[in-house]
Amino acid sequence: LSEKCGRTMWVSDSYRELFSANGLRAMDDLFEIEPDEKFEKASLPGWRKRVAVDLVASGEKVERFYIKRFGKPPFSVQMKRILSGHAFKSTAGVEKYWIETLNRDGISVPPIAAFGEERCGVLEKRSVLALAEVEGISLESWVKLHPDRAPRRLIELLANFAARFHGLGYIHRDFYLCHIFINREDSCTGDLGDCAFTLIDLQRIMRNPIRRKRWLARELAQLNYSVPGPVAGLRDRLRFLKAYLSVSTLKRPKVRDLMSRIEAKTSRIATHDRKLQARKKDSGDLG
């Protein structure tokens, strides 16, 4: 398991000059740079760190980058990675792989700025991935800025995006509005001609998994749950499903079965979320 130890460090040509000017020339630099913002969650294990850094040129901020640091993943976590078919990829390398694969398939993803890993055979010592900031805002933020009913065209565009992603065999596993970015807030009004979506947080993606119907129902339930009621009523949600399935009616038995699965899973997600929020309230952690 531990043969052929080595270190890999790579910086995209698009960002090499900027990274060098900010002292980011080696893997250690990506681990040690002082962040401008930290993203901490009680559920995030200590070996995973997520930070943001604002790189500058000529004394002015140029661009924000999000750095995911993985230091000494537990053996149990590494075994899951190995058994999932990513034996010779680090934790950061798995997300890098999915970003590159999705990009080749025409799904908009965050640009990779830099990547580094240290491995001994299939065992990972540490790894890091730096991603350039995605244009626009998350749909979660967008609906807060536009709390009224979403435009019909936007619902159809989102349905088409989800259908294409799933049609390629992918399962995101956290298919909530917070992980879908809308390219520009001002472009997604009017005729929505320039409206486009980018998918983030791609570490846990799967492709063509066993029990695919179950996973698809779960993905659609996650999306359904994360859309506030005032933004999309029942008719809007049914319109989304018609566009997603490319059908004119939802009365077919297979479609009805999918709808039942989505409804049941949405209810379970809501119940789980209420329990989670109650535990946070009891512990005083409202973040």
Side-chain angles (χ1 to χ4, degrees), residues 213-214 216-217 220 241 244-245 247 249-262:
K213 287 184 179 180
R214 171 182 173 274
L216 285 175
L220 294 173
L241 202 54
Y244 174 85
L245 296 171
V247 297
T249 178
L250 299 175
K251 295 182 179 181
R252 300 175 184 176
K254 288 185 178 181
V255 175
R256 289 290 187 181
D257 177 66
L258 176 60
M259 291 171 64
S260 296
R261 288 170 178 262
I262 294 171

Side-chain angles (χ1 to χ4, degrees), residues 8 17 30 54 70 76 83 92 99 128 148 154 161 169 182 194 197 200 202 216 219 222 268 270 272 277 287:
T8 298
E17 185 175 344
L30 291 175
D54 297 325
F70 307 100
S76 59
L83 295 175
I99 289 174
V128 61
D148 298 327
L154 177 60
F161 175 78
I182 200 163
D194 296 327
F197 304 103
I200 69 165
L202 308 170
L216 285 175
E219 296 262 291
Q222 290 172 341
R268 288 195 290 272
H272 174 76
Q277 293 303 318

Side-chain angles (χ1 to χ4, degrees), residues 197-232:
F197 304 103
T198 297
L199 200 57
I200 69 165
D201 201 5
L202 308 170
Q203 177 68 42
R204 301 175 64 217
I205 277 188
M206 301 185 299
R207 195 168 196 180
N208 297 320
I210 298 173
R211 300 181 68 186
R212 177 171 166 76
K213 287 184 179 180
R214 171 182 173 274
W215 282 107
L216 285 175
R218 178 179 173 177
E219 296 262 291
L220 294 173
Q222 290 172 341
L223 192 58
N224 183 48
Y225 175 71
S226 63
V227 177
V231 172

Side-chain angles (χ1 to χ4, degrees), residues 112-125:
I112 299 174
F115 163 73
E117 66 177 13
E118 288 184 68
R119 288 190 296 109
C120 283
V122 299
L123 297 182
E124 173 185 351
K125 290 186 175 181

